[in-house]
Amino acid sequence: LRLELDTGVRREVLVCRLLKSLYGLRQAGANWHETLVQALLDAGFKRLDTDRCAFVLRDDAGNAIVIVWVDDLIFAFEPAGSFANAVQKRVLDVLRSKFT
């Protein structure tokens, strides 16, 4: 990755540390997955020990399962309807808070 340095930066500085992952870098997928997992945990999901890409949320109102495959999510709800809408909103709110 080549960067143009500002005029006030000394030329001895050869390394710049990225604060965020950039699309196309080798670790970008791993960073996205780590962020997504933390968002699901923050939304109240529990990660299954038997399948690390499956997350479960058990609530008095119902159950939700999320399966993560690379950058795809599959949601399953029981019962559907208002519980599903509330869980989806909770996950989206957590993700929005991490990226805005």
Side-chain angles (χ1 to χ4, degrees):
L1 181 65
R2 297 182 64 91
L3 299 174
E4 293 292 327
L5 299 177
D6 290 337
T7 55
V9 177
R10 296 183 319 212
R11 293 293 178 190
E12 296 92 43
V13 177
L14 299 175
V15 177
C16 296
R17 182 172 183 223
L18 295 175
L19 299 177
K20 292 188 175 186
S21 182
L22 297 177
Y23 178 80
L25 293 180
R26 195 176 326 174
Q27 68 273 19
N31 290 346
W32 161 249
H33 184 74
E34 181 180 316
T35 302
L36 179 60
V37 167
Q38 191 57 52
L40 290 171
L41 295 175
D42 290 347
F45 283 85
K46 303 277 190 246
R47 194 175 200 178
L48 294 182
D49 292 330
T50 55
D51 191 348
R52 303 299 286 167
C53 65
F55 297 82
V56 176
L57 174 69
R58 291 192 168 102
D59 195 327
D60 292 337
N63 299 311
I65 299 172
V66 176
I67 306 297
V68 178
W69 181 255
V70 186
D71 59 354
D72 295 322
L73 301 173
I74 300 172
F75 285 86
F77 300 101
E78 194 281 311
S82 61
F83 172 71
N85 293 337
V87 171
Q88 286 175 348
K89 183 180 180 329
R90 188 184 326 172
V91 171
L92 287 174
D93 288 345
V94 171
L95 284 171
R96 280 188 189 111
S97 72
K98 291 190 178 297
F99 291 107
T100 56

